[in-house]
Amino acid sequence: MRQVAELAGVGIKTVSRVINGEPNVTPETTQRVLDAARALDYQPDLHAGNLRRTDRRTRTLGLLVGSVDNPFSGAVHRAVEDAAAERGVAVFASSLDDDPERERQAVAAFLRRRVDGLILTTATANQTYLEPELQRGTPIVFVDREPSGIETDAVVSDNAGGAARAAEHLLAHGHQRIAYLGDLHSIQTARERRRGFLDALDRARVPLDDLPVIEDLHDQAAARDALLRLLDGPNPPTAVFSAQNLITIGALHALRERGRQRDTALVGFDDVELADLLEPGVTVVAQHPEDLGRIAAERVFERLDGNNSPSQRIVVGTTLIMRGSGEIPLASA
């Protein structure tokens, strides 16, 4: 920092103000300092600077997502990074893989690095272990899944409403024997989608007793195998609701293996890559992960800027995208 100050012809305190984005420095002086820092390849020590800055900020966020393997998580991650970059904030990110122990380890690692705020997708049954951090004033926003055991902000999709809309869409095309293929029952969003789906069928007076409802399908292979068993059974479904994007891919494999993609309707929750290029195209209830990530980041920054209003549950709507698979009508007897 001393070398930067000498090259720019200013004092060390001026360099510190420029690097930390503080006011009361002229644009000309700021540019001289930045040019000098660039010429000397100066990289500030953020942790050391944090000890001296009055706001005690590290200009970092901790982000925990489901899995970077899943495009949904990748879209959330990108949106958070884009919002953070506008403020000169770096994002530490980690995958959850729906493992409660991995969740705790990742959060502990973020906190050891003194991140300014947390944006979390979680797998633990409740998150009371975060209460001390909330009491210390660390902003925590949950994304995709709601918190349990603590009061804090959450940004979530309309999971139940989206699943109900999928069921209603299939019912409108004459189907009643609709298979439900769901994610792990331990995941809060999976339970919400199951609830929305079954409630819609119940409102339509569809008997639920022998409806094929299969849960705890967490990857493509498990979903494929489950649907193959149903298709090969004595009373196969005429339609399928796949409640997660990887499950949808597994369902597509099963339908094509049995040559049933043109007579068995399919609606998936979450969009899938190349869904519009298949024949028939895949009808989906699309979430908007880019909005989830952006709003979650904005909420963290609002808290850091001093917003002390009560915690909010912000619900982002879903969109039914009709491409053909969900519009296959019930075949005539």
Side-chain angles (χ1 to χ4, degrees), residues 5 10-20 24-25 29-30 33:
V10 300
I12 291 178
K13 287 186 177 179
T14 300
V15 175
S16 176
R17 290 192 186 99
V18 171
I19 296 301
N20 291 313
N24 303 322
V25 182
T29 300
T30 297
V33 170

Side-chain angles (χ1 to χ4, degrees), residues 56-68:
R56 295 281 186 178
R57 301 270 177 87
T58 61
R59 289 201 173 87
T60 59
L61 296 179
L63 170 65
L64 187 60
V65 296
S67 172
V68 293

Side-chain angles (χ1 to χ4, degrees), residues 167 171 175-178 197-211:
L171 288 168
H175 301 280
Q176 291 201 350
R177 184 162 174 76
I178 307 169
F197 172 79
L198 293 177
D199 283 353
L201 294 183
D202 189 48
R203 287 194 297 271
R205 301 182 184 276
V206 174
L208 304 180
D209 292 342
D210 63 345
L211 201 72

